[in-house]
Amino acid sequence: MDKRPVQPVPAVRPAGFTDPPVGDGSERYAQQRVDWRSCRDGLECAEVVVPLDYHKPDDTAITLAVARRPSAGRSRRGSLFINPGGPGVSGIDYVRSFDRTGLEAFDVVGWDPRGVGASTPIQCADSAQVDRFLAMDGSPDTSVERTALVQASREFGLSCLKRSGPLLSHVSTVETARDLDLLRRLVGEEKLTYFGSSYGTAIGARFADLFPATVGRMVLDGAVDITEGGTTQAEGFDRAFTSFAAWCASRSCSLGSSRSAVESGVARLLDRLDAAPLEVGRRQLTQQLAVTAVVFVLYGNERTWSYLVAALEAAIRDGDGGALLALADRYNERGSDGQYGQSTYAFPAITCLDSDKGGIRQADKDLAAVVKKAPTLGPYLGPNYLCPMWPVPAAPDPGRPTARDAAPIVVIGTTGDPATPYQNAVGMARQLDSAVLLTLKGEGHLAYGQSQCVQRQVRAYLVDGVVPKDGAVC
């Protein structure tokens, strides 16, 4: 199948659909008053409305949830918008956890993007269907397994269309960037001050391309690929797994006395799970869930790798898959009650709306290319059939962002980052006209939270406008 099986959009109104503000056209939204109120953890919360479709601002509106941690002290410097990425992760939760040491003069503002969390959310399958989908063989070895994965991918997408209706066609990154500009106006900022992590860098880069004159100070940590020729996540995680295996062997772990021995031992476990999943209570640790557990821990660095060693040891030595299953559940945001976090639905909805890379045949070709570059872990990651089977068309291609005439943008990359490989930060810094590159030599996803050197330079830039030297290394 070379084209998406696009389906008619049902006339459903998900929670958060509402009428637009009084007035006409797009400007009616800029006249809203943001009614901040106290909410938990010392934050202030509010709701605003934005057009479902910016091309039809007089039609349906949707609701966005926003939160801020007010500035401390008397020297307020305005609003610092932050986004944690995902796509699909809650920006409100990010405000709660964000370390604002040295940035206390800012109101730190986060929002759940359209389709996410407390904003008008994407809704999809029930938890039992998600359990089956996430546990099934994601790297099919036979035509029967391949057909089953294609069909399950199609059914998942259809469940999202059935419950989310027209929202499924309006959660693109371009629309989120337009929402961000409206939020900037609503809180009274002439320029945007912004810190975006991971996929949050895509939002920032797209904003800077759409609204270069309103870019104030922008930091993009853990850059995604905006060049369409960067390094894939599969390659990033493959490299991280190789680093983990070498680290494990150097510490005489029980998984193997050499890097290759550790890699082979884990591969044997994954191969066994493909044929015979491990029973864990009423559930099973399948190959796919074990791969998910490995990937989850590889987001971290050497400080967290010991958890993966212990979980793999229990599965290999004792046949106990409980620890690996628990890690997979954390990655998949599956609670103890069996319910899934909303990002389980928002992530594919946003990703597939932004992506139009062809059909099933192209997905198979992409996987073959990935396996050549990521031969250790790549074969177990499997093809992406979800987007080729998505039931709505991809959003129009906005082109590569260049942010011409924008103020300086600081792009940060970590050399051993598995989820947003370092080469993508290099590419983003080259492509965005005003960008400078700040590098952290280290492992793990994202730099700001693990490096005081990076923190000092980011804070000096955001507070005092001191732009790091292009090519600076921490």
Side-chain angles (χ1 to χ4, degrees), residues 79-166:
S79 301
L80 168 63
F81 281 86
I82 61 174
N83 182 276
V89 179
S90 168
I92 293 177
D93 288 345
Y94 196 35
V95 175
R96 293 191 175 100
S97 63
F98 185 76
D99 179 6
R100 67 166 183 169
T101 302
L103 302 172
E104 295 89 350
F106 290 99
D107 293 340
V108 177
V109 183
W111 81 108
D112 286 358
R114 55 174 60 213
V116 176
S119 294
T120 305
I122 293 292
Q123 299 290 338
C124 299
D126 60 33
S127 58
Q129 184 178 347
V130 178
D131 269 345
R132 292 190 295 272
F133 182 57
L134 295 181
M136 70 184 305
D137 193 340
S139 53
D141 305 308
T142 67
S143 60
V144 172
E145 291 177 348
R146 180 177 182 272
T147 299
L149 184 58
V150 169
Q151 181 62 24
S153 299
R154 182 175 187 274
E155 290 174 357
F156 184 87
L158 288 174
S159 76
C160 300
L161 182 62
K162 178 181 178 180
R163 298 189 181 193
S164 303

Side-chain angles (χ1 to χ4, degrees), residues 279-357:
E279 300 294 330
V280 181
R282 296 182 178 180
R283 299 172 64 201
Q284 290 184 328
L285 175 71
T286 64
Q287 182 191 72
Q288 184 58 44
L289 290 172
V291 170
T292 300
V294 172
V295 165
F296 174 58
V297 178
L298 293 179
Y299 270 87
N301 53 31
E302 294 180 359
R303 293 193 298 272
T304 62
W305 286 352
S306 59
Y307 296 107
L308 181 56
V309 173
L312 289 168
E313 284 177 341
I316 293 171
R317 181 186 61 216
D318 305 324
D320 181 358
L324 284 174
L325 185 59
L327 290 170
D329 284 349
R330 286 187 61 188
Y331 181 88
N332 288 327
E333 293 191 357
R334 185 186 192 275
S336 58
D337 61 355
Q339 299 300 308
Y340 284 86
Q342 197 271 325
S343 66
T344 302
Y345 314 121
F347 179 91
I350 298 168
T351 301
C352 294
L353 195 60
D354 278 352
S355 172
D356 188 13
K357 296 184 177 180

Side-chain angles (χ1 to χ4, degrees), residues 70 86 90 101 113 116 140 165 180 189 195 204 207 269 283 286 302 333 346 350 355 358 370 400 413 420 423 440:
S90 168
T101 302
V116 176
L180 178 55
E189 300 296 345
F195 183 100
F207 178 98
L269 170 66
R283 299 172 64 201
T286 64
E302 294 180 359
E333 293 191 357
I350 298 168
S355 172
V370 162
R400 298 181 183 182
T420 51
Q423 289 78 4
L440 172 65

Side-chain angles (χ1 to χ4, degrees), residues 113-463:
R114 55 174 60 213
V116 176
S119 294
T120 305
I122 293 292
Q123 299 290 338
C124 299
D126 60 33
S127 58
Q129 184 178 347
V130 178
D131 269 345
R132 292 190 295 272
F133 182 57
L134 295 181
M136 70 184 305
D137 193 340
S139 53
D141 305 308
T142 67
S143 60
V144 172
E145 291 177 348
R146 180 177 182 272
T147 299
L149 184 58
V150 169
Q151 181 62 24
S153 299
R154 182 175 187 274
E155 290 174 357
F156 184 87
L158 288 174
S159 76
C160 300
L161 182 62
K162 178 181 178 180
R163 298 189 181 193
S164 303
L167 180 63
L168 205 64
S169 300
H170 292 286
V171 290
S172 69
T173 301
V174 167
E175 289 163 310
T176 290
R178 293 191 181 280
D179 292 343
L180 178 55
D181 188 57
L182 178 59
L183 291 173
R184 172 195 64 80
R185 296 179 65 186
L186 290 176
V187 301
E189 300 296 345
E190 181 179 349
K191 304 275 188 178
L192 177 74
T193 303
Y194 178 78
F195 183 100
S197 299
S198 197
Y199 164 76
T201 67
I203 297 173
R206 186 55 63 189
F207 178 98
D209 195 59
L210 290 170
F211 310 105
T214 59
V215 173
R217 296 169 186 173
M218 179 176 287
V219 178
L220 306 178
D221 181 13
V224 298
D225 177 24
I226 63 169
T227 67
E228 300 175 11
T231 303
T232 64
Q233 276 197 342
E235 293 172 71
F237 282 113
D238 201 73
R239 294 173 187 174
F241 181 67
T242 297
S243 296
F244 161 78
W247 170 88
C248 187
S250 70
R251 282 154 179 76
S252 301
C253 74
S254 66
L255 299 179
S257 58
S258 66
R259 189 195 76 190
S260 61
V262 173
E263 293 172 346
S264 297
V266 175
R268 286 193 296 272
L269 170 66
L270 296 177
D271 291 341
R272 289 201 303 273
L273 290 173
D274 190 28
L278 290 176
E279 300 294 330
V280 181
R282 296 182 178 180
R283 299 172 64 201
Q284 290 184 328
L285 175 71
T286 64
Q287 182 191 72
Q288 184 58 44
L289 290 172
V291 170
T292 300
V294 172
V295 165
F296 174 58
V297 178
L298 293 179
Y299 270 87
N301 53 31
E302 294 180 359
R303 293 193 298 272
T304 62
W305 286 352
S306 59
Y307 296 107
L308 181 56
V309 173
L312 289 168
E313 284 177 341
I316 293 171
R317 181 186 61 216
D318 305 324
D320 181 358
L324 284 174
L325 185 59
L327 290 170
D329 284 349
R330 286 187 61 188
Y331 181 88
N332 288 327
E333 293 191 357
R334 185 186 192 275
S336 58
D337 61 355
Q339 299 300 308
Y340 284 86
Q342 197 271 325
S343 66
T344 302
Y345 314 121
F347 179 91
I350 298 168
T351 301
C352 294
L353 195 60
D354 278 352
S355 172
D356 188 13
K357 296 184 177 180
I360 295 297
R361 291 190 185 93
Q362 186 61 49
D364 290 335
K365 291 179 181 178
D366 291 343
L367 176 62
V370 162
V371 169
K372 289 181 180 179
K373 296 181 178 180
T376 305
L377 207 55
Y380 298 103
L381 298 177
N384 174 12
Y385 290 156
L386 196 55
C387 291
M389 299 306 294
W390 206 242
V392 299
D397 183 1
R400 298 181 183 182
T402 60
R404 183 166 298 173
D405 299 325
I409 297 171
V410 177
V411 176
I412 309 173
T414 303
T415 54
D417 191 322
T420 51
Y422 175 70
Q423 289 78 4
N424 295 339
V426 175
M428 180 178 284
R430 288 175 178 168
Q431 186 165 301
L432 299 181
D433 283 0
S434 62
V436 299
L437 178 64
L438 175 60
T439 297
L440 172 65
K441 288 188 175 181
E443 302 290 341
H445 184 42
L446 304 177
Y448 186 77
Q450 62 170 317
S451 169
Q452 292 183 2
C453 170
V454 170
Q455 291 166 6
R456 284 194 300 269
Q457 297 194 56
V458 167
R459 291 165 184 164
Y461 168 63
L462 291 175
V463 175

Side-chain angles (χ1 to χ4, degrees), residues 15-32:
F17 273 42
T18 188
D19 296 327
V22 175
D24 296 299
S26 298
E27 277 303 304
R28 70 199 303 173
Y29 291 91
Q31 306 307 315
Q32 298 174 78

